[in-house]
Amino acid sequence: QVQLVESGGGSVQAGGSLRLSCVVSGSVYRLAWFRRAPGKEREGVASIDIPDARTHYADSVNGRFAITRDPAKSTVYLQMDSLEPEDSAMYYCAGRNRYGARWSRDFDYDYWGQGTQVTVSS
């Protein structure tokens, strides 16, 4: 059974940075970060394919966020720079066992972490 444990959330002012971590126990093909803000649907933020490190980003974060993996630490990171109040949300790490052309559909993912809160103040 795969387990995902997130950390690194917190409160920061607009323009600041945070780095989220997701420690993975077990094997997955793709790791993704999703977020859900109050009153909004859960949305895909970024994903990375473990075998070749291919990445995908939502338009809203492209150029500001970077997803990377460290196989030696079984960890996937989400570096978030130039944070905006609109980035405030609960962030979740998710994993799936196989390749899929669509990376941002939450129902394609098999495993989920418990979430970590990110709050950006203006």
Side-chain angles (χ1 to χ4, degrees):
Q1 181 71 9
V2 173
Q3 292 188 325
L4 308 175
V5 179
E6 305 102 329
S7 62
S11 297
V12 66
Q13 290 195 331
S17 298
L18 284 173
R19 188 178 77 160
L20 306 184
S21 299
C22 175
V23 178
V24 184
S25 61
S27 178
V28 296
Y29 180 87
R30 175 176 291 164
L31 253 291
W33 287 95
F34 286 80
R35 66 186 181 187
R36 175 177 277 162
K40 295 187 177 181
E41 294 188 355
R42 186 161 55 189
E43 64 170 343
V45 176
S47 72
I48 187 166
D49 292 348
I50 301 303
D52 60 7
R54 178 176 295 184
T55 59
H56 298 88
Y57 294 94
D59 290 343
S60 59
V61 307
N62 199 19
R64 299 188 297 122
F65 290 11
I67 187 170
T68 58
R69 73 194 193 333
D70 184 345
K73 296 182 178 179
S74 299
T75 301
V76 171
Y77 302 99
L78 184 68
Q79 178 67 40
M80 305 186 295
D81 298 323
S82 302
L83 282 162
E84 303 168 353
E86 293 74 22
D87 295 317
S88 296
M90 184 71 79
Y91 282 70
Y92 299 90
C93 181
R96 63 176 294 178
N97 289 323
R98 57 201 176 279
Y99 170 82
R102 303 278 296 274
W103 69 271
S104 62
R105 303 187 307 187
D106 56 3
F107 56 81
D108 285 332
Y109 288 80
D110 305 298
Y111 312 104
W112 291 84
Q114 80 287 354
T116 186
Q117 179 68 40
V118 171
T119 303
V120 184
S121 58
S122 58

